[in-house]
Amino acid sequence: MDLEKKDEQPLRSVAVPVADDSSRKRRRRRCIICWSSVAGVILTLALILLILGLTVFKAKKPVLTVNSVQLQDLDFSVNPIPIRVSLNISLALDITIKNPNKVGVNYRNSSAVIQYRGKDVGNVPIPAGRIGSDDTSRLHLTLTVFADRLVSDSEIYQDILSGNLPLSTYTRIKARVRVLFVHIHVTSTSTCDVNIDIQGRKIANQTCHYKNKI
């Protein structure tokens, strides 16, 4: 049997596509330009936020001001035998808290204290609150002296007999300011030294001092 010989067909060459170097370079250049633009935008925004944080939105201290300290009530009596002093005093405190920041400020629960020769003899609570941007809050407080704390001090007799009673008021406000994504705590305090003219039933003079701390 004759075997039929089949003509052998030559192998066809397969064309392998070769990447175009210039096309790859263009794509790479476009990617570099794109990512550079994104990085530039991010850096620009970060720079703008930094400038705003250091200028317009820079944290500023709330301004605590004591507008007035007034003698609201004064009742006293002295018994010579045995020596005994009865004394009731109330002071009206008018306070202003100004927020100079471009954002609102929250302040915590605090208190105003009345002192006699460095000792606390009365206080009044100050409830927590919020002050809007560039806004002012006004507080009207009444400080009442705890008579038992006052008369237990031996120096009170000499002060009453001299007709001059030295007292001090101390007020502290703790606030929190949020600048961009950062919370900053601020403390403002005021101390007012007052001298009460017992015979005239009035405040003879007063001097106030202020401190702010960030």
Side-chain angles (χ1 to χ4, degrees), residues 18-214:
V18 180
D20 189 1
D21 290 341
S22 61
S23 177
R24 285 191 300 177
K25 289 180 179 179
R26 283 196 298 270
R27 287 197 298 269
R28 186 181 303 170
R29 190 180 299 112
R30 284 197 295 267
C31 289
I32 293 174
I33 293 174
C34 180
W35 285 110
S36 298
S37 300
V38 172
V41 171
I42 294 175
L43 289 176
T44 302
L45 290 176
L47 182 60
I48 292 174
L49 292 176
L50 178 61
I51 293 174
L52 290 175
L54 295 176
T55 55
V56 178
F57 293 102
K58 182 180 179 180
K60 300 176 183 177
K61 304 171 185 176
V63 181
L64 176 63
T65 304
V66 177
N67 301 313
S68 66
V69 180
Q70 296 181 349
L71 184 61
Q72 185 169 315
D73 186 29
L74 172 60
D75 293 320
F76 75 96
S77 62
V78 179
N79 296 326
I81 302 176
I83 298 178
R84 184 178 178 182
V85 175
S86 297
L87 183 64
N88 291 315
I89 299 176
S90 294
L91 297 178
L93 203 61
D94 183 9
I95 296 176
T96 297
I97 308 173
K98 179 176 176 55
N99 175 24
N101 293 280
K102 298 301 179 182
V103 294
V105 170
N106 296 313
Y107 59 91
R108 304 177 184 175
N109 290 323
S110 186
S111 63
V113 179
I114 187 169
Q115 298 176 330
Y116 172 71
R117 298 191 180 277
K119 299 178 182 178
D120 294 352
V121 293
N123 63 72
V124 61
I126 300 176
R130 178 178 175 82
I131 307 174
S133 61
D134 290 321
D135 200 2
T136 300
S137 177
R138 196 161 188 171
L139 302 176
H140 299 280
L141 308 174
T142 300
L143 287 164
T144 301
V145 172
F146 299 140
D148 56 339
R149 297 185 187 180
L150 192 59
V151 298
S152 62
D153 195 312
S154 59
E155 292 181 300
I156 188 65
Y157 302 100
Q158 297 177 2
D159 289 332
I160 290 179
L161 292 176
S162 68
N164 181 60
L165 181 63
L167 295 175
S168 298
T169 64
Y170 176 77
T171 307
R172 181 175 64 178
I173 300 293
K174 288 186 175 182
R176 185 180 66 178
V177 184
R178 181 176 180 179
V179 179
L180 299 180
F181 305 104
V182 180
H183 291 279
I184 299 175
H185 296 274
V186 181
T187 301
S188 298
T189 62
S190 71
T191 303
C192 291
D193 300 321
V194 299
N195 288 316
I196 298 177
D197 180 358
I198 296 178
Q199 296 298 329
R201 295 178 181 271
K202 64 181 181 179
I203 293 180
N205 55 69
Q206 69 179 56
T207 304
C208 295
H209 308 277
Y210 305 95
K211 289 183 180 180
N212 292 290
K213 181 181 179 181
I214 293 182

